[in-house]
Amino acid sequence: MPTLRLLFDWTLYRLALLLAAPLIPLRLLWRGRRERGYLQHWNERLARGPAPAAGALWIHAVSVGEMRAAQPLVAALRAAHPDAPLLLSCMTPTGRATAEALYGSFATIVYLPYDYAWLVRRFLRRAQPRAGILMETELWPNLIDAAARQRIPMVLANARLSERSARGYARLPALTRACLARIAAVAAQSEADAARLLKLGAASVHVTGNLKFDIAPPPALLERGAAWKAQWGQRPVLLAASTREGEEAPLLRAFAAAAPAAVLLVLVPRHPQRFDAVAQLIESAGLSWQRRSELDGAQLHAGTRVLLGDSLGELFAYYAACDVAFVGGSLAPLGGQNLIEAASVGRPVLVGPHTFNFEEATRLAIEAGATLRVSDAGDLLGNALKLLNDDAARARMGEAGLAFVARHRGAAARVAGLVAPLLKVR
């Protein structure tokens, strides 16, 4: 019966890939209308192009958040294995741009091919990595199967699995179990993540913590944020960071209706292709605004109510420049974004009701007194205004955030420790 179920699951998965094949170039072309990066490097998506150096340590991080989370692990692996080449793969143009900015001076960066058996086999034959590290929960059955056949040990690092995601994987239980059983080591973020992964079939699970706690705020960005804050004068600053579609409009309406004129809203959408759409939402709300991209060498006008953060790679600077930070993706049912960065800069953090992608970190931050949960945009603005008028409360939450982050560091060293013995096998 298990063999029959596995055959059934594999058949469903491969049939879905077959049906999707004609749609892939159409999707890339469609996405490329707004984000030109989707029109580039198609050869890499077919496992073509210059072959990376053989024997590399290979890390796959699908997009921006995972690529940034890999920073402390990359540093730990480079320190432990200084002679090993580094290969970074991703799936999105923004992930690639982040990789180029963070690792471009010393690593090879490519797109990972889609999970067709012949493509991933070609990718692995050409790359010949010593080990592969999949960031968070990237379970690609053909890729994992091909790695096992080529005796490439695979690690699932910073693994997280919400109850919702676990239910999704459980729809193909035999295939999920077969994938997880072929992972040499799973480094889970929390006990809850570990329990769900074990239930789905993972064989070697270790609770190592969240790598994002190990990311140190870059001093240059903290200085940049402090300089912005000095230029903006004494204005209270509310930051809405990494916002997603469906969140900006209600927040802007609440801000226009209730925020004092002195308060500056800094609005930073998660995805750069939405910058212009969010600009239109600000216009529709009747609020005076400027773009961050236009401020270099220029001043923020005294009457500006909203600053649109239309820049990349400056999130820590935005946190350093604000007094209170809301972390987006959480007002709408999208699972939330990383709140650890805001806490690591010592800022009070607000989140909405939907944080299932960062369930453990959010729970711990709320328990530590570093974060408040709000129910909707009106509740967000009300709590933000209270904090902006209470210096002592902001200081308490900021200090609690710093202590919260410091208390949970160390995941990078633990994950690197799991990788090391796998390299000796090769």
Side-chain angles (χ1 to χ4, degrees):
M1 179 64 72
T3 303
L4 289 175
R5 183 58 201 246
L6 180 58
L7 179 61
F8 177 75
D9 286 0
W10 264 118
T11 302
L12 279 182
Y13 181 70
R14 287 170 173 161
L15 179 60
L17 287 177
L18 181 63
L19 293 174
L23 302 177
I24 290 174
L26 296 177
R27 180 179 183 275
L28 291 173
L29 289 169
W30 178 259
R31 296 293 300 271
R33 294 169 62 249
R34 291 188 176 183
E35 204 169 344
R36 302 294 295 177
Y38 279 105
L39 303 179
Q40 301 170 348
H41 306 291
W42 280 26
N43 59 332
E44 293 175 2
R45 297 188 186 275
L46 298 174
R48 296 291 188 184
L57 298 178
W58 162 45
I59 298 176
H60 175 64
V62 63
S63 194
V64 176
E66 296 83 0
M67 198 62 77
R68 293 179 64 186
Q71 276 184 272
L73 179 58
V74 168
L77 291 172
R78 292 186 74 203
H81 313 282
D83 297 327
L86 190 67
L87 172 64
L88 273 293
S89 64
C90 59
M91 296 299 290
T92 69
T94 51
R96 189 188 186 103
T98 301
E100 294 285 359
L102 295 175
Y103 318 115
S105 63
F106 56 81
T108 300
I109 298 161
V110 298
Y111 284 125
L112 183 71
Y114 292 104
D115 196 42
Y116 291 87
W118 61 282
L119 287 180
V120 294
R121 285 198 298 265
R122 179 195 291 167
F123 171 80
L124 293 175
R125 280 198 307 267
R126 299 176 80 241
Q128 300 178 40
R130 292 174 66 187
I133 301 169
L134 305 176
M135 290 294 296
E136 302 203 358
T137 312
E138 285 288 297
L139 295 181
W140 297 106
N142 284 321
L143 178 67
I144 293 170
D145 179 66
R149 293 177 185 275
Q150 295 185 37
R151 302 181 65 82
I152 299 167
M154 300 294 289
V155 175
L156 198 60
N158 215 42
R160 60 182 173 91
L161 191 68
S162 67
E163 291 184 5
R164 177 184 296 191
S165 295
R167 288 194 297 270
Y169 281 114
R171 292 181 185 133
L172 295 175
L175 183 57
T176 298
R177 183 171 294 275
C179 288
L180 287 170
R182 288 178 163 179
I183 300 290
V186 176
Q189 292 187 18
S190 71
E191 294 285 354
D193 294 314
R196 286 190 278 266
L197 286 159
L198 283 167
K199 185 176 180 180
L200 286 173
S204 176
V205 181
H206 309 261
V207 179
T208 54
N210 191 335
L211 286 169
K212 293 178 180 179
F213 284 105
D214 287 2
I215 299 174
L221 290 181
L222 297 183
E223 292 173 8
R224 189 178 305 171
W228 291 349
K229 182 67 169 169
Q231 291 173 357
W232 300 342
Q234 300 301 311
R235 299 186 65 174
V237 178
L238 168 61
L239 170 67
S242 299
T243 57
R244 305 277 297 274
E245 188 170 3
E247 295 185 313
E248 295 98 354
L251 174 57
L252 287 164
R253 286 195 296 269
F255 185 81
V263 176
L264 174 67
L265 173 62
V266 180
L267 185 55
V268 185
R270 172 74 173 172
H271 299 116
Q273 63 268 29
R274 296 190 58 247
F275 288 161
D276 290 343
V278 175
Q280 292 176 3
L281 291 175
I282 301 171
E283 288 276 1
S284 298
L287 294 162
S288 57
W289 64 286
Q290 290 176 259
R291 291 177 179 266
R292 155 71 188 101
S293 59
E294 298 171 350
L295 283 190
D296 288 329
Q299 291 293 318
L300 183 74
H301 303 320
T304 295
R305 302 293 310 281
V306 181
L307 177 64
L308 175 60
D310 62 342
S311 61
L312 297 176
E314 293 188 317
L315 193 55
F316 275 111
Y318 288 116
Y319 284 130
C322 79
D323 296 296
V324 175
F326 162 69
V327 178
S330 59
L331 284 181
L334 300 166
Q337 303 293 160
N338 177 20
L339 58 78
I340 298 169
E341 292 176 334
S344 73
V345 183
R347 296 300 182 263
V349 180
L350 302 176
V351 296
H354 306 287
T355 54
F356 52 83
N357 284 335
F358 295 85
E359 179 182 359
E360 180 77 0
T362 303
R363 179 183 65 81
L364 292 172
I366 291 172
E367 291 176 356
T371 297
L372 291 175
R373 190 184 294 280
V374 300
S375 59
D376 53 30
D379 192 29
L380 160 61
L381 188 67
N383 278 279
L385 294 178
K386 287 179 184 177
L387 284 169
L388 290 173
N389 288 319
D390 191 336
D391 294 348
R394 291 201 313 278
R396 283 195 302 272
M397 288 184 68
E399 290 165 4
L402 293 172
F404 156 68
V405 172
R407 194 159 51 246
H408 294 283
R409 287 195 175 110
R414 290 188 282 271
V415 177
L418 293 177
V419 173
L422 301 177
L423 301 180
K424 293 177 183 177
V425 171
R426 298 275 297 174

